[in-house]
Amino acid sequence: LTMAAMNHALDLSEVEERRRAELEFVSSAYEPSEAWTAPPLHSLDEEGEGEGVGDGELSKCLARSSPEVHRRLVLDSGVDIKLILTMPETNGYPVAESSVLSVDASICHQRRLVDDARGDSLRQAAMEHLPGFVDACREAAKENAGCESVFAVMSRADEWIGDDWRQIVQDVAAAEAEASAASTASDVDQNGAIRKLDRGLRSQEVFPQEEGRQLHVVSSHHLLNHAPDSFLAKGGKYKLNGLYRFGTPGLAFCLGDRDSVDNFVTALEKKMPQKKFEIVLTRNTNEHIEGWEEATTDQLKAILTEGEFAEVLKIQGNNGGTSNG
């Protein structure tokens, strides 16, 4: 079949419906600064509202256009990667069996670090390794040919940032240490020091280290139950007892010493460098929880005061709620 004949044979309403579902997922799962559609989904809707547009014309508009998903991925080098996923106009994505999501990416220079010399090295490394990042994302798209693959490609991008890029950063640091006579094994990782200081300044209430049990609440804007967000469930590996909660916000309720909490937060940041983690509450507690498990609403109400419950879960009035029953 020619491409034109294939498109004619496709059910455009199904193409539209499945494309729309993916675009709506992006709009609901991410903050506008993290991921967005181009053009915006509402503008595609508006194209189907003019005079003389009959039923099914909106489907043709979305099915025969090339909407894009843009994902901003933050590196710790003063550089962002913009991942661009395009639903091609002519290949029937995601209905046609051979349809593949188009993948591209670009480097965005947006921020400057305190250690600008190290930042320059990492920015150079980001540009050198961008083709490898694109190849990894394109491979994920090919593996999911003939079906919805936006989520699979974006997950692979997150994994590349959390694993491959982390190794690249370590390699750059090792090369600089070897080349510089002034470098020593005791040099402080400046990015880690800045993150640790920032967490301390952002904590709502910090108590001095003392005998007794303390509750530390770690928050991120949203964490979903899939990789790499699911690393939230690994708190027990960092000598912590407590609870965790997927949703908006994503939360960890840690019972343990501050060093263990800081180690866990550092691990979360390494696994998900594009996300922001904050210790939003630290206080003494008499609560005792064995193990590390997903929280229920009743458990959260038991360990938090009414005011803490509303503030930590960002509940306003009677309209709020949690994602766990």
Side-chain angles (χ1 to χ4, degrees):
L1 287 177
T2 65
M3 187 65 70
M6 182 190 73
N7 284 335
H8 180 73
L10 290 174
D11 183 347
L12 292 183
S13 63
E14 181 181 357
V15 174
E16 189 274 343
E17 180 181 357
R18 291 170 64 175
R19 287 188 174 197
R20 177 177 296 277
E22 286 201 286
L23 297 174
E24 289 178 344
F25 162 77
V26 172
S27 298
S28 62
Y30 295 90
E31 285 289 289
S33 61
E34 295 177 325
W36 61 95
T37 62
L41 188 56
H42 68 78
S43 69
L44 291 171
D45 292 342
E46 290 169 358
E47 292 183 31
E49 295 176 356
E51 182 178 354
V53 177
D55 292 341
E57 290 302 309
L58 177 58
S59 297
K60 295 177 183 178
C61 171
L62 187 54
R64 290 176 175 169
S65 63
S66 299
E68 296 178 350
V69 173
H70 291 223
R71 175 77 167 99
R72 176 174 170 265
L73 297 151
V74 179
L75 307 183
D76 56 358
S77 58
V79 173
D80 296 344
I81 290 179
K82 183 167 70 173
L83 176 66
I84 304 173
L85 309 180
T86 304
M87 300 178 181
E89 176 182 354
T90 58
N91 75 356
Y93 174 88
V95 175
E97 293 183 1
S98 60
S99 62
V100 178
L101 193 66
S102 177
V103 179
D104 205 348
S106 62
I107 294 290
C108 304
H109 296 261
Q110 293 189 356
R111 293 165 287 115
R112 308 292 284 181
L113 298 183
V114 174
D115 183 358
D116 197 52
R118 183 168 186 268
D120 286 342
S121 297
L122 291 174
R123 282 190 286 272
Q124 181 63 35
M127 288 186 284
E128 291 175 356
H129 289 276
L130 182 65
F133 169 79
V134 173
D135 288 344
C137 292
R138 286 176 177 170
E139 185 64 28
K142 291 178 182 178
E143 290 173 357
N144 290 270
C147 63
E148 289 81 350
S149 53
V150 168
F151 176 73
V153 175
M154 292 172 77
S155 295
R156 180 65 185 93
D158 287 336
E159 291 175 2
W160 190 93
I161 298 296
D163 296 333
D164 298 63
W165 176 250
R166 184 59 51 186
Q167 184 60 52
I168 291 168
V169 171
Q170 293 175 359
D171 291 344
V172 169
E176 289 182 342
E178 184 177 353
S180 175
S183 296
T184 66
S186 62
D187 284 343
V188 176
D189 174 43
Q190 295 192 25
N191 283 334
I194 291 171
R195 286 195 297 267
K196 186 172 182 179
L197 174 61
D198 191 39
R199 288 198 301 271
L201 293 175
R202 293 196 304 256
S203 297
Q204 289 185 345
E205 189 175 5
V206 179
F207 291 85
Q209 293 297 314
E210 58 185 38
E211 292 185 0
R213 186 175 297 275
Q214 287 194 318
L215 170 67
H216 308 266
V217 181
V218 179
S219 178
S220 185
H221 179 271
H222 68 273
L223 295 172
L224 307 179
N225 192 7
H226 60 68
D229 297 21
S230 55
F231 191 77
L232 186 68
K234 304 296 185 181
K237 292 186 176 181
Y238 294 85
K239 300 180 181 179
L240 294 173
N241 292 307
L243 308 168
Y244 61 91
R245 173 190 183 274
F246 294 114
T248 305
L251 297 164
F253 302 85
C254 309
L255 296 177
D257 62 79
R258 182 57 181 260
D259 286 343
S260 296
V261 176
D262 285 343
N263 289 339
F264 182 44
V265 172
T266 298
L268 289 167
E269 290 174 332
K270 288 182 178 180
K271 197 69 175 176
M272 295 168 274
Q274 73 279 14
K275 293 185 181 291
K276 178 181 178 182
F277 292 88
E278 298 178 285
I279 300 177
V280 297
L281 175 66
T282 299
R283 65 162 172 80
N284 293 327
T285 181
N286 293 323
E287 293 296 330
H288 185 79
I289 300 174
E290 288 293 339
W292 185 258
E293 61 185 41
E294 189 166 5
T296 66
T297 300
D298 288 341
Q299 286 175 313
L300 297 185
K301 289 181 176 179
I303 65 174
L304 299 173
T305 66
E306 183 176 349
E308 290 170 346
F309 183 87
E311 185 172 358
V312 169
L313 275 74
K314 304 185 186 302
I315 296 173
Q316 298 180 353
N318 295 320
N319 297 323
T322 68
S323 64
N324 298 307

